[in-house]
Amino acid sequence: MSEVSPGSARGLQSERTELAWVRTALACGALAAVATRLTGNHVPFGIAVLLGGLVALPGVVAGAVRIRALRGAAVPAAVSPAGIALLSTSVALAAALALPLVAT
């Protein structure tokens, strides 16, 4: 087996981090859209997609900012508090929308 040099391992960590941030934001948006569609009120598809997009937007912005920071540095820098806040906003919005809709 070939060994991975330390420099390339760091590059792979950055790529995995980028993908995780984007995946988290998109999962939050999908959760919001699915929860909206599962309501007994039969929300139209367009409204469900719009809500899902609005929930995912802060996380996608956080992912884009994080990707730019990771690609601009040889060594990954710590996450900014603003990035964490944006990604957390997507998660909180998804929970705030999905939990009451699914619980009823």
Side-chain angles (χ1 to χ4, degrees):
M1 289 178 71
S2 64
E3 290 187 34
V4 177
S5 67
S8 64
R10 267 190 295 240
L12 294 176
Q13 284 178 328
S14 296
E15 186 173 302
R16 284 191 306 269
T17 301
E18 292 172 12
L19 293 173
W21 278 67
V22 172
R23 200 171 41 242
T24 300
L26 293 176
C28 289
L31 173 65
V34 168
T36 303
R37 289 294 291 169
L38 291 176
T39 63
N41 301 333
H42 303 292
V43 176
F45 179 74
I47 301 247
V49 170
L50 179 66
L51 285 173
L54 290 174
V55 167
L57 185 63
V60 170
V61 170
V65 169
R66 182 66 181 154
I67 288 168
R68 191 174 351 187
L70 289 172
R71 290 198 176 151
V75 177
V79 181
S80 71
I84 293 172
L86 284 170
L87 189 59
S88 299
T89 299
S90 273
V91 173
L93 285 173
L97 182 67
L99 290 177
L101 293 175
V102 174
T104 58

